[in-house]
Amino acid sequence: MATFLYKLGRLSFRRRHVVALIWVALLTLAGVGAASAPAAGNSSFSIPGTEAQKAFDLLEQRFPGTSADGATARVVFKAPSGEKMTDPGNKATVQDTVEELSDGSEVVRVTDPYQAKAVSKDGTIAYAQVSYKVSGMELDDAAKDALKDSAQDARKAGLTVEIGGDALQAVPHTGSSEVIGIAVAAVVLVITFGSLVAAGLPLLTALIGVGIGVSAITGLASALDLGTTTSTLAMMIGLAVGIDYALFIVSRYRAELAEGREREEAAGRAVGTAGSAVVFAGLTVVIALVGLSVVNIPMLTKMGIAAAGTVAIAVLIALTMVPALLGYAGRKVKPMGEKGKLLGRAKKEQDRPAKPNLGTRWASFVVRRPLAVLLLGVIGLGAAAVPATSLELGLPDDGSQPTSTTQRRAYDLLSEGFGPGFNGPLMVVVDAKNSDDPKAVFTETGDEIKGLKDVVTVTPAQPNKAGDTATITVVPGSKPSSVTTENLVHGIRDAGADIKADTDANVLVTGSTAMNIDVSEKLNDALVPYLVLVVGLAFLLLIVVFRSILVPLKAALGFLLSVMAALGAVVAVFQWGWLSGLMGVEQTGPVMSMMPIFMVGVVFGLAMDYEVFLVTRMREAYVHGEKPAQAVVTGFRHGARVVTAAAVIMMAVFAGFIGSSESMVKMIGFGLAIAVFFDAFIVRMAIVPAVLALLGRKAWWLPKWLDRALPNVDVEGEGLRTRTDRGDEDRELVRA
């Protein structure tokens, strides 16, 4: 591995014009493809195997032409103080609005509040529901403008009018905080390298990699049904790992220059050693992201594969384009220890005695007090993980939107007028095709549901043309994300099981609320198999890298600590409301259902990044003859500064997405940023060296039979050292 990458690094350095041209051509092709591709719609949300999805598919089959997946809008009206919606003037305004809304070419139907009995008991609030032929992301701007204009006309007449539903769904934006995150990364790189040129290389290569990845996703979005969130998450992860991987290559290149090697040789050795770590770190991230497919949620699978593709591009760019750009930079990238004029030191300070750097001093302290550091780190992370014990899962709805949005205000008005459960009605689908008396089954099902707790309204059954299938709308008494509503869904399904036993009719519960509940349960069931698969594969990979049993085991346990602490922080902010104002969280509530499993996948991959980069330096020192404790210190002397810079950069990039208008992206950005902090600065910088110091030589133990069976990937670059030593001897003979 190291020898192959060494040759690749030297070739890329020497043939830099060809390498640069290839990557620029790929970026251009991806950009042209993205620009010419049709616009992507909203990714279809299907959950194979769930009851809610089965009911939805049955509706498509038994109620053709109803546009079950079309957008909906609830136009909510509130009368001025002291008036009612049934007053003649207000009623005329609403009916004019309904008539105006019905003229749209994409509108299927508009319900009149006074005919549909959609007026609150106190008469102050009413709503009209608009159904469209296409989804919210596919609606023409003209249709959205007509919806807004109709509401504005009613406002001019004195009514309060808000619009809920997904018809006004907008593409999420991340805001200026994303740019701030990249700016912070640039500052950290300048401080680390002391040179604008050296600092600019990781940023440039990361942006090119992300440009290729995101453009490819955009170009394929329509064909592969990729949503807007897919490219956002690919950008988030691609930027973070792209900068980090290039940072490690450039840092090792400067270290090789400091040892007196020629620039082409230094580039080859940097790619052969640090590049090996980049390959295996990238593999762990790719395994974790692609492994999301085991959950069998298409949207999550697509997100994982797209992000994994961007990571793979970042690895290839680090191995080829970074050494090519180092060739272009020439002497502008200086050896380690030699600062440029930017930080005020143009020459190496050779006259002064070498002072141990901060990484060396910290590692020496940990080696002297390993038990105390280990206990402090574990207790601290355990305390941060405590909120995770009260984790509640759900999917965001209009109730989680900022109060400044019309969707949120419509949600609140409907809760005020009709009860909190009105925002999450349940749709019960009764399939009585195999029953002798379908009408009796429909009536029996409605009566059974009326007898359940927390049921406010049960509408009469609405059969299809064939009369063998009917829908019943159930309005709960509690809000959609509550445990009470979840219990009601299970109660209806239990009652349906009894009805099936008696009548051979299937009773299915669907709707957005039931779908959210099914998603949460599916994700919970998949978490353990996913952990076993991803952690197991990565564990085997790390055994090959470190040639040890205990080091990979320690890495996995440390990851579990950091991810639980990160989940605890997410619960504290987004569910409990701690520091919610600072994070821009206007509405607390359940944590997004996908968050735990997504964090497990991404954080595991990123955690293994730091494990590989830091511990390979320690193993390199140990393999070359140093004692275990000294090898820990050596690893920190060479790697701590770079790993710290990489962690700060990754945190800055992830934190930049906290400013997103999309609640899912905001939560993931915060969760990943805090997880990187816990893992890099507490687990990898404190717990890892403490454990290695306590284990001593046992940390690197590997059974002899397994040692013989495992392939030698030579991450430490031992083959390069032998190769260089032999080359040095040959040169000495020539001189003699």
Side-chain angles (χ1 to χ4, degrees):
M1 171 69 79
T3 303
F4 169 76
L5 293 178
Y6 164 80
K7 294 177 180 178
L8 179 63
R10 293 196 63 169
L11 179 65
S12 299
F13 186 96
R14 191 166 55 250
R15 304 294 185 189
R16 47 188 171 272
H17 302 308
V18 176
V19 172
L21 184 62
I22 290 173
W23 283 111
V24 170
L26 288 174
L27 179 61
T28 303
L29 286 174
V32 171
S36 58
N42 194 28
S43 179
S44 58
F45 191 80
S46 62
I47 313 295
T50 61
E51 180 173 315
Q53 185 64 46
K54 291 176 182 177
F56 185 82
D57 295 340
L58 185 64
L59 285 174
E60 290 281 322
Q61 178 185 348
R62 301 288 175 84
F63 292 82
T66 57
S67 300
D69 58 346
T72 59
R74 279 181 171 176
V75 184
V76 188
F77 306 89
K78 184 176 182 180
S81 179
E83 299 182 18
K84 293 190 175 183
M85 292 304 305
T86 52
D87 293 346
N90 294 334
K91 186 174 183 179
T93 300
V94 171
Q95 290 176 331
D96 289 342
T97 303
V98 170
E99 184 177 350
E100 186 178 349
L101 288 170
S102 302
D103 294 336
S105 59
E106 294 183 320
V107 175
V108 176
R109 61 183 174 276
V110 182
T111 60
D112 186 322
Y114 303 101
Q115 295 179 5
K117 299 180 180 179
V119 181
S120 62
K121 290 182 179 180
D122 61 5
T124 60
I125 297 174
Y127 72 92
Q129 181 153 316
V130 187
S131 301
Y132 293 90
K133 299 176 182 178
V134 295
S135 67
M137 294 297 288
E138 296 171 325
L139 268 183
D140 289 339
D141 290 338
K144 295 181 180 181
D145 291 340
L147 181 61
K148 295 175 185 176
D149 292 343
S150 299
Q152 189 59 36
D153 292 341
R155 290 189 187 106
K156 291 178 181 178
L159 298 177
T160 298
V161 186
E162 304 296 346
I163 304 171
D166 60 354
L168 295 183
Q169 186 175 8
V171 176
H173 62 272
T174 55
S176 60
S177 55
E178 177 188 343
V179 179
I180 295 173
I182 297 176
V184 171
V187 171
V188 173
L189 287 169
V190 170
I191 294 173
T192 302
F193 293 136
S195 164
L196 287 175
V197 175
L201 286 179
L203 281 176
L204 176 61
T205 54
L207 289 173
I208 290 173
V210 167
I212 294 172
V214 172
S215 296
I217 291 170
T218 303
L220 297 172
S222 179
L224 300 181
D225 191 26
L226 305 177
T228 53
T229 305
T230 303
S231 59
T232 304
L233 295 175
M235 181 191 303
M236 181 192 302
I237 296 170
L239 266 179
V241 300
I243 294 173
D244 278 8
Y245 294 166
L247 168 64
F248 285 110
I249 299 288
V250 175
S251 297
R252 188 60 184 252
Y253 172 76
R254 295 177 70 233
E256 297 295 335
L257 288 179
E259 294 183 9
R261 292 187 173 85
E262 295 295 327
R263 294 187 177 273
E264 183 178 325
E265 176 69 16
R269 289 183 63 87
V271 176
T273 51
S276 298
V278 165
V279 169
F280 283 101
L283 272 175
T284 60
V285 180
V286 168
I287 288 172
L289 290 170
V290 173
L292 290 170
S293 58
V294 304
V295 183
N296 196 27
I297 295 180
M299 185 179 78
L300 194 58
T301 300
K302 293 172 186 176
M303 287 165 54
I305 293 175
T310 308
V311 172
I313 293 172
V315 171
L316 292 175
I317 282 184
L319 299 178
T320 57
M321 192 171 188
V322 169
L325 292 181
L326 288 172
Y328 282 117
R331 297 187 180 278
K332 292 180 181 178
V333 177
K334 300 184 180 299
M336 185 172 291
E338 183 178 339
K339 300 292 185 180
K341 296 180 181 179
L342 184 64
L343 294 184
R345 290 188 295 173
K347 294 183 179 180
K348 208 169 182 178
E349 299 178 353
Q350 297 176 345
D351 297 334
R352 297 183 181 180
K355 180 182 178 182
N357 60 20
L358 182 59
T360 302
R361 297 197 298 273
W362 169 250
S364 299
F365 169 78
V366 174
V367 167
R368 290 195 304 270
R369 301 282 188 274
L371 188 58
V373 172
L374 176 61
L375 290 176
L376 188 61
V378 171
I379 292 171
L381 289 177
V386 168
T389 58
S390 62
L391 176 68
E392 295 178 9
L393 298 177
L395 288 178
D397 55 17
D398 284 347
S400 62
Q401 296 271 7
T403 53
S404 58
T405 62
T406 186
Q407 291 95 332
R408 171 61 189 279
R409 291 195 292 265
Y411 182 97
D412 292 340
L413 283 176
L414 288 172
S415 296
E416 176 187 341
F418 301 93
F422 194 79
N423 283 294
L426 306 175
M427 179 176 289
V428 179
V429 182
V430 185
D431 177 10
K433 191 173 184 178
N434 297 326
S435 300
D436 297 332
D437 189 354
K439 290 184 178 180
V441 173
F442 301 154
T443 303
E444 179 185 350
T445 302
D447 292 341
E448 286 286 339
I449 295 173
K450 288 177 183 178
L452 298 176
K453 293 181 180 179
D454 200 49
V455 173
V456 174
T457 305
V458 178
T459 64
Q462 301 292 322
N464 61 351
K465 290 183 179 179
D468 58 6
T469 307
T471 60
I472 300 173
T473 301
V474 181
V475 178
S478 304
K479 63 181 182 178
S481 58
S482 68
V483 177
T484 307
T485 301
E486 182 178 350
N487 292 336
L488 175 59
V489 170
H490 290 302
I492 295 174
R493 288 172 174 170
D494 290 341
D498 295 335
I499 293 173
K500 180 176 176 59
D502 296 337
T503 64
D504 205 24
N506 288 320
V507 178
L508 307 173
V509 185
T510 189
S512 60
T513 301
M515 183 71 81
N516 290 354
I517 292 169
D518 287 351
V519 169
S520 297
E521 292 179 352
K522 190 177 182 70
L523 288 167
N524 287 338
D525 293 341
L527 186 57
V528 172
Y530 176 70
L531 268 173
V532 171
L533 174 68
V534 173
V535 177
L537 287 176
F539 181 78
L540 295 176
L541 184 65
L542 292 179
I543 289 178
V544 174
V545 173
F546 295 127
R547 308 196 77 79
S548 164
I549 298 293
L550 296 180
V551 170
L553 180 61
K554 171 262 310 166
L557 293 177
F559 150 73
L560 291 175
L561 273 175
S562 58
V563 78
M564 287 303 298
L567 276 176
V570 169
V571 170
V573 173
F574 291 88
Q575 188 174 311
W576 292 359
W578 294 5
L579 302 177
S580 57
L582 182 64
M583 298 296 165
V585 181
E586 297 189 28
Q587 177 66 30
T588 59
V591 172
M592 183 184 63
S593 298
M594 295 182 185
M595 192 66 189
I597 201 163
F598 190 82
M599 278 190 65
V600 164
V602 177
V603 174
F604 182 79
L606 300 180
M608 294 307 103
D609 274 6
Y610 300 119
E611 181 75 15
V612 170
F613 287 126
L614 195 59
V615 180
T616 47
R617 271 290 194 167
M618 298 177 190
R619 174 164 176 77
E620 184 177 344
Y622 178 75
V623 167
H624 293 153
E626 293 188 8
K627 294 181 179 179
Q630 184 57 40
V632 171
V633 176
T634 300
F636 267 75
R637 181 171 70 250
H638 292 296
R641 178 184 177 89
V642 179
V643 168
T644 299
V648 172
I649 288 168
M650 198 170 279
M651 288 168 57
V653 172
F654 288 147
F657 288 83
I658 296 175
S660 173
S661 62
E662 175 68 40
S663 59
M664 183 172 77
V665 175
K666 180 192 292 287
M667 189 179 294
I668 288 177
F670 171 80
L672 295 183
I674 198 70
V676 169
F677 171 77
F678 286 145
D679 195 86
F681 292 106
I682 299 180
V683 175
R684 309 303 153 189
M685 290 291 183
I687 294 178
V688 166
V691 171
L692 291 177
L694 288 170
L695 290 175
R697 294 186 183 276
K698 295 177 183 177
W700 307 108
W701 171 79
L702 185 70
K704 291 182 179 180
W705 64 268
L706 185 57
D707 187 37
R708 289 191 299 268
L710 291 177
N712 184 14
V713 295
D714 190 22
V715 177
E716 301 83 20
E718 183 64 27
L720 296 183
R721 175 175 291 237
T722 304
R723 177 193 185 98
T724 305
D725 291 343
R726 186 170 59 247
D728 291 342
E729 291 174 2
D730 292 343
R731 284 190 290 272
E732 290 296 330
L733 289 173
V734 170
R735 291 193 188 99

